[in-house]
Amino acid sequence: MTRAVLVSRSAPPTITQIDVPDPDEGEALVDVTCSSVNYKDGLALAGNPGVARIDPLVPGIDVVGTVSALGPGVHDVAIGDRVVCNGAGLGETRHGGWAEHAIVPSGSLVVLPGAVEDSFAAAIGTAGFTAMLSVLALERTVAPDDGPVLVTGASGGVGTVAIALLAARGYRVTASTGRTSNAASLRTLGATEVVDRATLAELGRPMQRATWAGAVDSVGGATLANVLASTKWGGAVTACGLAQDSALPTTVMPFILRAVSLLGINSVEAPLPLRQQAWDRLATDLDRALLADVTRTVDLEHAIAIGADVVAGKVHGRTVVDVRR
């Protein structure tokens, strides 16, 4: 048995004891130390069927901890390894990390670099992992000298980590946020300018003044359409979220007139070599002190309460869940 948060479509989320099966072929049992609160976790707590695809469900799309048992035929990790897993169906199609123990697909586990503590890995979480995937994709096309880059949803988990990563690589970062009260914090992370998201939220012309060499977008909708329309020739925009809308009301004009690239980012099904590359870079590129300034740690009970605030865009930075508290 293990202590866990359990979400059911017929009852409010509760902390209870659930059975933990032995790991099957291709699986590992992880003694969980930390998880985090992400946008998808907030949706799962609300019973959103697009996220919570099994019922009941343990939320938590991030798992950080130590491998304690292995299923048949598992050779990717060893018992005693400190590991992290982001996505891979956790907290969606299988029980996730808001529990003291979790069964995870071993092929998605990354052995943590020695310098990365469990709490730091959880603070990074899926949001920071997604930000790193975005930076890896963006820097293949856009160099720091090409011009300013934009980060939308800048006060959220992806946005805050993306700003810090891009600034550390020498990019000039403009942060777009609906919470301009966070401007000082965003500048501390590395943003050189902060703009109100309202300037991008209403759909504009299909081609606008060429402003951005590139962008990291976690908002979607009209915001992403406006970002594409204002990206310079040969620029690139990564898309990793839909906080505003899943629709994309744009035209082909930015793509055929300015050769703009739209790069999709999928952290859930990222292959293991890409996961390892991202975590190696996070270990060296991300300033721990900067992330600590925008991170708070809660227990399982408080994680339940915070979920709705994350979905509503009221939480700045990252929230670590210490499952042992």
Side-chain angles (χ1 to χ4, degrees), residues 131-174:
M132 188 73 252
L133 293 179
S134 297
V135 172
L136 289 171
L138 195 65
E139 65 186 11
R140 289 195 291 266
T141 303
V142 179
D145 292 340
D146 290 341
V149 295
L150 177 70
V151 174
T152 67
S155 291
V158 174
T160 51
V161 178
I163 291 168
L165 290 170
L166 288 165
R169 302 294 286 183
Y171 290 89
R172 289 183 290 125
V173 183
T174 295

